[in-house]
Amino acid sequence: MTLSTDLQEINERLAAPDEEQRRFAVMALRGRPFPEAMELLFRAMADDSWRVRKEAVSVVLQAQPLSAGALEALIDLLRASDNAGLRNSAVESLERIGEPAVEPLCTHLEDPDHDLRKFIIDILGNIRCAACVPLLVRALDDEDMNVRVAAAENLGKIGDRRALPHLLKVLDGGEIWFKFTVLDALSSIGIPVPLAKLEPLLQEGLLRRATYDCLAVIGDAKCIPLLLQGMHEKAKNAREAAAVALMRIRGRLPVQERETLIDLQLRELAGTPAAKKLIDSLHGEDPVLIALLAQLCGIMRDERAALPLVRAARTERLRAGCLEALRCIGEAVMPLLLEHFPVAGASERAVIVQLIAETEHHGSDELLFSALEDEGAEVRRCAALALGRLAPAGAAPRVAALLDDDEPQVREGALDAVQRLAAADRDGVCAICSKLLRSRDERKRRDAAVILGALSDGERLALLVKDEDATVRRAAVASLARVESPQAPAALVLSLSDEEPEVRIAAAQALAERGGRDVLAPLCLALNDSDPWVQTAALKGLAGLGDAEALPGVMVLLEQAQGQVLIAALNTVAALGGAKALAPVQKALSHSDEEVVEAAIAILSGFGTEWIGEHGEELLGHPHWMVRRSFVRAVAQLKGAESLAVLDQALARESDPLVKSEIAELLDRLR
């Protein structure tokens, strides 16, 4: 091939020692006819630098559609056994070209080069080409083992059920390693197969784990006796795989069948050597395996699992499952855990303390009190919460000491606990509040406001809404929402005129939470607030009240509202006035703010379909894609199959690929 002057320059730059120069040389080939640039691109696909190779693949893909000759040349690169980078670049290019490459690829499935056949099968599998299933089925009988394995693996990737009988036939004979791949393929396809086809494989020691793994995906209740037996396997990996498969199948069973088919049999395992071996597997590293084994241990109710479960619970993602298992085992675990507590790590101590509270285990008061001073912040937090729940004598002042803890999560736990203790030790908690209220530290007064809510002390809360600190006032307002007190309504109305918007927002929310006719007028007054978030809170409160007397005030605000206030006002109008008050909502369909239009569509969707005909054309042509998407969704949901004509029209005129894809999915679902 004779290169033009500029191509000759690119060719020289492709030999430069600097990879960036070579990459820029590849970029210079963009937009050129592929036949002209092909030789240089293929050279770049063989480059030592992955960045250069990746750039070359990108240019190849940009040159689509490729001619039949170009595709053949690309396929021929798969023969480059001496350059893995070139071959891998060719594989990536063909996979990303996708469907147009399928037919030329298939013509090489009888090629004498077994490596080429394997690569082609892998590419077809990654393209997920269902049309190739018969050809891949034929390759299950290929003379080369690697080709046969690739055929089975990629039939699994494609996931077409037509492959099942052929894969099952392979299990009747053939090499062990081939059967491994077939079992994985059956799992990937995910369609149940006759148990009689899989059970004989358990006679092969090397295949047991793979067979159990397969049953975990495609097994049903018929497999349960086999899996219960499998949990007695001598080989650790097979035993664990059988346990995992059993728990997976249990998760697919109706709740009422789990107890009779599995749980009763698992409880009979408690105390046996087989159960101990499964418990020992909790010391492993695989979080998925440990999570399922923890669940199994909880069902077995074998107290020997106590310490392994506590140790496993040190991992955050496993903690909830391990705690649930410990709860299921019950009170029997507590002596073991309490004995372990002094030598346990901080995260283990936290789990034990939490379990003391959840099982309401009494007699551990001193342990919990000492845990309030533990070096671990999570232990201190859990101890405070446990004492708040169990409420032993003298707990309140000792828990309240943690309101000064350095760690925010500990202070939060202590505050929650003191609130709980208000019911059991009102006098003690009142004394704590009195001390907090005298503090110059606004954080302590804020804590007092929260605790006073638990004490239902409206009188002192009414004083706190005048505190010098806005965060204290806001906390007091929030507590007043839950307090039945003669002082509460007036204090909340007063807070609607607070200088801080955050306090006024809290006051509007508190009035709405209290409800009743008395809050209507104050909330209507708050519609005139200068802060949009206060107005929004008032609107949401009025919508919740549902009193139509507020409608005139809302309509006045609607005329000048923008953004979130307008959206809240539209929702409130619909909530208060119903179908008769939807004129402003329909008018909002022409608003310049797309979020307002989307909100109007959502509101109108709750009142039938009459608006669709009048506004459909405008919304289908809306300049913002989010509005068009919201409209087609609403039409499909409201009109079902009757929306097909509108959706077809929308699909024909839509330019945004995301919206277009969603419309196509809606059409497929409705047809």
Side-chain angles (χ1 to χ4, degrees), residues 90-300:
V91 168
E92 181 183 355
S93 299
L94 290 163
E95 286 178 355
R96 293 176 64 183
I97 288 170
E99 192 66 33
V102 168
E103 185 175 345
L105 282 167
C106 289
T107 63
H108 291 274
L109 283 173
E110 302 293 336
D111 194 279
D113 184 345
H114 57 83
D115 286 335
L116 180 68
R117 299 198 301 275
K118 179 192 179 300
F119 282 122
I120 287 174
I121 289 171
D122 287 338
I123 294 167
L124 293 172
N126 287 329
I127 292 174
R128 302 293 197 272
C129 177
C132 302
V133 167
L135 295 173
L136 268 60
V137 164
R138 190 186 311 165
L140 290 172
D141 295 320
D142 194 278
E143 62 183 21
D144 184 82
M145 164 64 92
N146 290 330
V147 175
R148 296 198 297 275
V149 168
E153 179 182 346
N154 287 286
L155 284 170
K157 284 183 185 178
I158 294 170
D160 193 306
R161 66 183 309 143
R162 291 176 297 166
L164 283 177
H166 306 282
L167 290 168
L168 292 175
K169 183 179 178 182
V170 171
L171 293 177
D172 293 333
E175 303 88 341
I176 291 289
W177 303 114
F178 191 15
K179 291 180 180 181
F180 265 114
T181 307
V182 171
L183 287 169
D184 282 342
L186 293 173
S187 299
S188 297
I189 295 173
I191 296 174
V193 301
L195 182 58
K197 281 289 187 180
L198 299 181
E199 187 173 1
L201 300 180
L202 294 173
Q203 303 305 314
E204 294 278 0
L206 293 175
L207 286 177
R208 285 175 185 165
R209 176 178 179 175
T211 304
Y212 290 133
D213 287 343
C214 184
L215 289 173
V217 177
I218 65 176
D220 56 20
K222 295 176 183 177
C223 306
I224 291 173
L226 199 65
L227 297 174
L228 287 166
Q229 181 181 347
M231 292 196 300
H232 294 269
E233 290 270 10
K234 291 182 179 180
K236 181 174 181 285
N237 63 357
R239 184 171 62 243
E240 291 174 349
V244 167
L246 185 70
M247 297 308 294
R248 297 277 193 210
I249 291 173
R250 182 183 183 273
R252 298 196 289 270
L253 290 177
V255 174
Q256 61 271 21
E257 294 183 17
R258 296 176 185 175
E259 178 74 15
T260 55
L261 295 180
I262 295 180
D263 295 4
L264 290 175
Q265 285 79 357
L266 286 179
R267 286 186 200 121
E268 292 178 3
L269 273 179
T272 66
K276 180 62 168 63
K277 290 178 181 178
L278 290 168
I279 290 168
D280 289 343
S281 291
L282 288 169
H283 297 299
E285 301 294 331
D286 181 357
V288 175
L289 171 64
I290 295 172
L292 289 168
L293 289 177
Q295 187 182 5
L296 186 149
C297 288
I299 297 168
M300 284 196 305

Side-chain angles (χ1 to χ4, degrees), residues 285-355:
E285 301 294 331
D286 181 357
V288 175
L289 171 64
I290 295 172
L292 289 168
L293 289 177
Q295 187 182 5
L296 186 149
C297 288
I299 297 168
M300 284 196 305
R301 299 178 185 172
D302 192 323
E303 62 192 63
R304 293 176 298 177
L307 294 184
L309 284 169
V310 166
R311 293 190 182 103
R314 292 178 297 190
T315 302
E316 184 65 33
R317 64 182 289 191
L318 296 172
R319 185 164 302 167
C322 290
L323 278 168
E324 178 59 28
L326 288 163
R327 283 192 289 268
C328 290
I329 298 172
E331 183 68 22
V333 304
M334 293 312 302
L336 294 168
L337 298 185
L338 295 176
E339 182 183 353
H340 177 65
F341 189 86
V343 297
S347 57
E348 294 176 1
R349 296 197 300 275
V351 170
I352 294 171
V353 167
Q354 185 174 344
L355 199 63

Side-chain angles (χ1 to χ4, degrees), residues 369 372 383-384 386-388 390-401 417-418 421 425 429 432:
F369 285 137
L372 291 174
L387 289 165
L390 298 177
R398 299 182 72 168
V399 171
V418 172
L421 289 167
D425 184 10
V429 173
I432 291 167

Side-chain angles (χ1 to χ4, degrees), residues 585-617:
V585 184
Q586 293 204 39
K587 180 181 177 182
L589 292 173
S590 302
H591 200 276
S592 58
D593 186 337
E594 67 273 6
E595 292 185 9
V596 173
V597 181
E598 283 194 278
I601 291 172
I603 294 167
L604 292 169
S605 296
F607 291 91
T609 62
E610 294 182 5
W611 58 280
I612 292 176
E614 181 180 350
H615 300 279
E617 186 65 25

Side-chain angles (χ1 to χ4, degrees), residues 375-385 402-403 405-417 443:
E375 63 182 15
E378 182 64 12
V379 182
R380 298 197 299 276
R381 187 186 75 87
C382 289
L385 292 171
L402 291 185
L403 293 173
D405 196 274
D406 293 335
E407 297 293 335
Q409 72 268 30
V410 178
R411 297 197 299 270
E412 182 182 341
L415 184 59
D416 181 271
R443 192 183 73 196

Side-chain angles (χ1 to χ4, degrees), residues 481 489 492 508-520 523 541 544-545:
L492 290 175
Q509 292 170 339
L511 286 167
E513 191 176 334
R514 291 181 66 85
R517 292 277 301 174
D518 292 343
V519 308
L520 182 64
L523 285 176
L545 291 176

